[in-house]
Amino acid sequence: MDLLLQAMETRVGKVQVATLRQVAPRAADKLLEARLLVATGRIPVVAAMDGYEDEAIPAEWCPERGQYGYRDSVGRWITVEAGEIAACAVDYPLVLAKMLVAFERAGPSRPNPLIDGFFWDVGTIRLTGAKSPVPVWFARRLADPAVWTRLDALLERRPPEEVRVILTSTPGDRIPTTVSKRNVIVGVADVLGAPGRLAISPHALGARVFPGQVQRRFPIDHSEECGLVWHRGETLTFGGDKQRRLLQILFAAYWSKSPVVRIAAGLEEAGYGGQVNTLKKAFGRRNDWQRFIRFDDGNCWIDP
């Protein structure tokens, strides 16, 4: 799912298949097999290895040779296989249908473009806590100031009657703040029901849209997927499958009254791999997690 959301965030909305397979070969093949990514022409740019320098250059079509290629620094023609520059794009109707499969949804069979290539009207969903069906939009690249300006203008022209959910492929920590309380912008990665699955959790989304209706334990509680942690009256938001999975492991231990978890074992189970071996690396630049997580002598635990 991380790879799919990254593909959505690309500037032109499509990406080379070869590039995807270099980044995450198994994930790329699964997305292509599921047709969440579909073939869409070519991106004629290659990384030319010339004099031990990796430089991105355009691949040109040669009618005489009937092939793509480029000339290196000494003028030799270097052939580029068609598969190297084949491109794919996200099938948004299919992806959005799978995102909202757990909801009772009404609206057009295909999302209606609001601004072509960036914003779509997906219809309405039934959401616990709402008096009536909630309209849902989808947006991408909200961290781009130009794109955000267009969305901000669109929201001003089309205010919702009560509340509207705007789902986005942009990571939650990169979404700009909007002054409109009726437009709730939610990063898809923060409300997925399970790691590696595209279906959004109704409980997790409901907690984001209507946080005041969630019954919370004191001094600490969390949403189903641990994207939200409520600590002594403060709401902390966590994004990314691995961070949420690590929090799930720690909270499972906390509620079972056996709170201590070995740091190495927790990071491995959360999927961080060998390169991330400390909690500080796992949580990145933020340090608010230290308000309720303690660590010592290779162990960590929830301590609210």
Side-chain angles (χ1 to χ4, degrees), residues 141-145 148-149 170-179 185:
R141 289 187 60 79
L142 294 188
D144 183 330
W148 175 256
T149 298
T170 305
D173 59 358
R174 299 189 64 200
I175 299 173
T177 302
T178 176
V179 296
I185 304 177

Side-chain angles (χ1 to χ4, degrees), residues 127-190:
L127 196 59
T128 301
K131 298 178 182 179
S132 57
V134 175
V136 178
W137 290 1
F138 181 83
R140 71 181 194 92
R141 289 187 60 79
L142 294 188
D144 183 330
V147 175
W148 175 256
T149 298
R150 297 176 75 180
L151 176 62
D152 209 27
L154 184 61
L155 296 179
E156 187 173 345
R157 293 196 306 270
R158 298 182 55 175
E161 293 183 5
E162 294 185 11
V163 66
R164 174 166 53 212
V165 174
I166 302 175
L167 299 170
T168 179
S169 49
T170 305
D173 59 358
R174 299 189 64 200
I175 299 173
T177 302
T178 176
V179 296
S180 172
K181 300 300 183 183
R182 293 185 177 183
N183 290 293
V184 182
I185 304 177
V186 182
V188 170
D190 296 332

Side-chain angles (χ1 to χ4, degrees), residues 12-250:
V12 296
K14 60 182 180 179
V15 65
Q16 284 182 345
V17 175
T19 300
L20 287 177
R21 286 182 168 141
Q22 288 176 353
V23 173
R26 291 183 61 188
D29 287 340
K30 286 183 178 180
L31 292 172
L32 291 164
E33 289 170 8
R35 298 198 62 75
L36 297 174
L37 294 177
V38 293
T40 177
R42 299 180 176 88
I43 300 178
V45 177
V46 294
M49 298 300 295
D50 191 9
Y52 301 102
E53 294 183 3
D54 194 353
E55 179 185 1
I57 64 171
E60 301 175 352
W61 174 254
C62 177
E64 296 177 0
R65 296 182 176 86
Q67 58 188 206
Y68 282 92
Y70 64 92
R71 294 193 180 278
D72 64 13
S73 59
V74 296
R76 291 175 302 184
W77 177 260
I78 307 298
T79 300
V80 174
E81 298 296 333
E84 293 182 53
I85 55 176
C88 59
V90 176
D91 185 333
Y92 283 98
L94 179 59
V95 166
L96 294 173
K98 288 185 176 294
M99 281 184 184
L100 298 172
V101 68
F103 296 86
E104 180 183 338
R105 184 163 70 101
S109 58
R110 297 179 65 84
N112 178 36
L114 298 167
I115 295 181
D116 196 31
F118 290 98
F119 312 134
W120 294 263
D121 183 344
V122 189
T124 63
I125 59 172
R126 291 282 181 180
L127 196 59
T128 301
K131 298 178 182 179
S132 57
V134 175
V136 178
W137 290 1
F138 181 83
R140 71 181 194 92
R141 289 187 60 79
L142 294 188
D144 183 330
V147 175
W148 175 256
T149 298
R150 297 176 75 180
L151 176 62
D152 209 27
L154 184 61
L155 296 179
E156 187 173 345
R157 293 196 306 270
R158 298 182 55 175
E161 293 183 5
E162 294 185 11
V163 66
R164 174 166 53 212
V165 174
I166 302 175
L167 299 170
T168 179
S169 49
T170 305
D173 59 358
R174 299 189 64 200
I175 299 173
T177 302
T178 176
V179 296
S180 172
K181 300 300 183 183
R182 293 185 177 183
N183 290 293
V184 182
I185 304 177
V186 182
V188 170
D190 296 332
V191 290
L192 294 179
R197 296 187 179 276
L198 192 52
I200 289 172
S201 162
H203 178 82
L205 185 59
R208 295 298 177 107
V209 180
F210 303 111
Q213 298 182 13
V214 179
Q215 297 296 318
R216 305 170 190 164
R217 291 165 284 195
F218 190 86
I220 196 165
D221 204 353
H222 54 87
S223 60
E224 179 183 19
E225 84 301 351
C226 287
L228 296 175
V229 173
W230 297 286
H231 179 237
R232 299 186 178 276
E234 185 177 7
T235 301
L236 305 176
T237 303
F238 293 88
D241 286 347
K242 296 183 180 66
Q243 280 189 11
R244 294 197 301 271
R245 178 57 185 147
L246 179 58
L247 289 171
Q248 287 173 347
I249 294 166
L250 289 171

Side-chain angles (χ1 to χ4, degrees), residues 173 220 227-232 234-239 243 247 251 279-280 282-295 302-304:
D173 59 358
I220 196 165
L228 296 175
V229 173
W230 297 286
H231 179 237
R232 299 186 178 276
E234 185 177 7
T235 301
L236 305 176
T237 303
F238 293 88
Q243 280 189 11
L247 289 171
F251 275 111
L279 294 178
K280 290 183 178 181
F283 286 103
R285 297 180 179 178
R286 64 188 301 168
N287 55 22
D288 51 1
W289 58 274
Q290 296 187 49
R291 300 175 193 173
F292 62 93
I293 298 177
R294 303 289 181 265
F295 57 95
I302 300 290
D303 180 12

Side-chain angles (χ1 to χ4, degrees), residues 249-250 252-261 300-301:
I249 294 166
L250 289 171
Y254 175 74
W255 298 122
S256 71
K257 308 300 181 182
S258 301
V260 175
V261 174
C300 58
W301 61 94

